[in-house]
């Protein structure tokens, strides 16, 4: 099974602790989102390839034309949080409010229900699996947040599925699309993802 996804964020949307002036600083940074998006659209169109795009609510509000273009080309628009904060650094209420803001921003543009999600930095860990309950409450049906190996901002090293699976938690079910990993000398390592593709294109 080959499933292609993109996280739509700009170069300065890194996982970090967020001071109060983050928006002021972001507004002063050079915007590079369009160059990358134009290249992605061209490659997908030329090769007749489909994909899901997990978009930040921030991007939807700042650059609605990007979201509109994704939708017009027939690709799925998923949600990637509002402000790219690590899920495990938020309380349940903070996490839910962030997601509501992002989903509302995206749905306002595309006029359709958003049903797919990926946490920033794959930041759903064992101690914040309550996030799946929040996804269910907000009508999200598909998740692509599980990184089944050790990782700085997330990681479920003991997650045994390497292909799409059903996660059952406290009476809810959600379809999970974990990141691809391989085993080498008894250790699991990632073989896909933005940073990994940069090192090993």
């Amino acid at each position: 099974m080959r499933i292609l996804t993109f996280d739509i964020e700009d170069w300065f949307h890194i996982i970090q602790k967020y001071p109060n002036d983050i928006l002021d600083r972001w507004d002063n940074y050079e915007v590079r989102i369009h160059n990358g998006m134009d290249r992605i659209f061209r490659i997908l169109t030329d090769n007749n390839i489909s994909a899901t795009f997990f978009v930040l609510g921030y991007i939807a509000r700042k650059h609605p034309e990007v979201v509109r273009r994704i939708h017009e080309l027939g690709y799925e628009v998923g949600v990637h949080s509002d402000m790219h904060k690590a899920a495990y650094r938020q309380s349940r209420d903070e996490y839910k409010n962030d997601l509501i803001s992002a989903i509302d921003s995206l749905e306002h543009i595309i006029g359709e229900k958003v049903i797919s999600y990926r946490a920033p930095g794959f930041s759903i860990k064992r101690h914040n699996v309550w996030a799946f309950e929040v996804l269910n409450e907000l009508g999200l049906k598909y998740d692509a947040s599980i990184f089944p190996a050790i990782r700085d901002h997330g990681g479920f090293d003991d997650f045994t599925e390497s292909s799409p699976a059903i996660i059952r938690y406290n009476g809810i079910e959600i379809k999970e699309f974990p990141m691809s990993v391989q085993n080498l000398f008894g250790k699991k390592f990632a073989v896909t993802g933005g940073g990994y593709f940069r090192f090993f294109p």
Side-chain angles (χ1 to χ4, degrees):
M1 182 177 290
R2 295 179 178 88
I3 299 170
L4 181 62
T5 64
F6 297 93
D7 294 350
I8 305 307
E9 59 203 49
D10 218 324
W11 64 274
F12 48 83
H13 291 132
I14 58 173
I15 296 285
Q16 58 180 308
K17 291 185 178 179
Y18 286 79
N20 293 330
D21 66 346
I22 188 70
L23 282 174
D24 292 335
R25 290 193 291 115
W26 281 2
D27 286 343
N28 290 321
Y29 291 145
E30 178 188 0
V31 173
R32 301 179 186 169
I33 192 74
H34 296 96
N35 292 341
M37 294 305 302
D38 289 343
R39 185 176 182 192
I40 290 170
F41 291 146
R42 186 172 62 253
I43 292 170
L44 294 181
T45 300
D46 289 349
N47 293 279
N48 193 29
I49 297 173
S50 250
T52 292
F53 291 76
F54 295 107
V55 187
L56 291 180
Y58 173 90
I59 291 290
R61 291 186 297 277
K62 286 287 185 179
H63 309 288
E65 69 283 358
V66 170
V67 180
R68 213 170 284 120
R69 184 73 173 143
I70 293 169
H71 187 250
E72 287 171 352
L73 288 170
Y75 305 125
E76 180 185 15
V77 174
V79 62
H80 190 42
S81 83
D82 198 59
M83 298 294 289
H84 211 252
K85 294 180 182 179
Y88 61 80
R89 286 184 176 152
Q90 301 176 73
S91 70
R92 183 174 179 138
D93 285 343
E94 288 171 334
Y95 177 76
K96 185 173 183 177
N97 290 334
D98 178 89
L99 257 182
I100 288 171
S101 178
I103 291 170
D104 287 349
S105 296
L106 292 167
E107 291 180 349
H108 178 73
I109 296 170
I110 67 173
E112 294 179 7
K113 179 76 182 107
V114 171
I115 59 173
S116 297
Y117 168 75
R118 172 174 288 145
F122 306 97
S123 54
I124 295 181
K125 299 184 177 186
R126 185 159 295 285
H127 79 269
N128 67 325
V129 290
W130 48 256
F132 293 122
E133 293 179 308
V134 175
L135 300 186
N136 183 68
E137 290 169 18
L138 298 181
L140 294 160
K141 301 189 179 302
Y142 306 103
D143 178 67
S145 302
I146 295 295
F147 191 95
I150 295 172
R151 179 179 169 83
D152 287 344
H153 295 297
F156 259 82
D157 191 39
D158 58 349
F159 193 82
T160 57
E161 299 292 339
S162 59
S163 58
I166 301 292
I167 289 181
R168 294 177 176 86
Y169 177 73
N170 278 359
I172 63 107
E173 292 186 353
I174 190 163
K175 185 74 174 278
E176 180 63 38
F177 294 84
M179 287 294 286
S180 300
V181 293
Q182 293 290 335
N183 286 292
L184 183 65
F185 304 120
K187 297 287 186 181
K188 292 190 289 187
F189 66 96
V191 295
T192 58
Y196 307 97
F197 281 144
R198 288 182 182 93
F199 283 110
F200 307 108

